[in-house]
Amino acid sequence: MDYEAFRAEYEPVFDVLDAKTLPDWLPAAIAHLKGLAATIDDPADRRSAEFDIADVESILAEDSIDEPSSPAMTAAMRVYSEAVEDHGTPAERIARLEAGMAEIGRISDAVPPTERAPILGLNESLYMLVLSLQSESRRALPAIGS
């Protein structure tokens, strides 16, 4: 992914921050942006995207407009945070991400339909990270016949 494509997805998220009531999908959208930022190839652009996300999070924290999460969303965010930890081999990280996706799926199965989409939205960025790690792993393999 390139930075311009990231910004196209970032702008609508940033634009809702001045709304009187924040949309239910905002936590999932922020998680999605984090996953997208991790897939940006250029390190400088990736850092810019990470700073953009930090801006959104600091605005939410400063203005105290972040509504309390439901117990299910809190649990899903905890699972998400553990899944995205960046230690271990690519295979270990992929396994952790996939386990996190499965757990988030189980959490979403137990909530009302109105809460399901924001929770399941967390899986999108986890999936993007899996794809990114798989791609990196394939590039790191030596060419056959080398």
Side-chain angles (χ1 to χ4, degrees), residues 105-139:
R106 284 189 287 278
I107 291 169
S108 74
D109 288 342
V111 299
T114 56
E115 194 174 358
R116 193 165 293 136
I119 291 173
L120 280 175
L122 297 171
N123 274 348
E124 187 173 346
S125 61
L126 295 180
Y127 180 69
M128 296 295 291
L129 287 170
V130 167
L131 293 178
S132 176
L133 286 168
Q134 289 171 338
S135 176
E136 287 176 20
S137 294
R138 282 191 287 275
R139 283 189 298 231

Side-chain angles (χ1 to χ4, degrees), residues 6 9-10 13-14 16-17 22-37 49-50 52-61 66 77 80 118 121-122 125:
F6 169 84
E9 296 212 30
Y10 168 82
V13 173
F14 186 80
V16 302
L17 295 178
L22 294 176
D24 292 338
W25 52 261
L26 187 58
I30 293 170
H32 171 70
L33 289 172
K34 288 178 180 180
L36 291 178
E50 290 166 351
D52 290 340
I53 294 165
D55 285 344
V56 168
E57 291 176 327
S58 68
I59 289 168
L60 290 172
D66 197 10
M77 291 299 293
Y80 178 90
L122 297 171
S125 61

Side-chain angles (χ1 to χ4, degrees), residues 19-94:
K20 290 184 188 234
T21 303
L22 294 176
D24 292 338
W25 52 261
L26 187 58
I30 293 170
H32 171 70
L33 289 172
K34 288 178 180 180
L36 291 178
T39 67
I40 295 174
D41 293 329
D42 182 68
D45 287 345
R46 188 171 41 253
R47 278 190 301 280
S48 293
E50 290 166 351
F51 287 135
D52 290 340
I53 294 165
D55 285 344
V56 168
E57 291 176 327
S58 68
I59 289 168
L60 290 172
E62 286 173 14
D63 293 344
S64 299
I65 57 175
D66 197 10
E67 295 179 17
S69 295
S70 71
M73 180 56 91
T74 301
M77 291 299 293
R78 179 189 48 76
V79 170
Y80 178 90
S81 295
E82 291 170 2
V84 298
E85 290 180 3
D86 64 355
H87 59 82
T89 66
E92 291 168 337
R93 292 181 65 196
I94 289 169

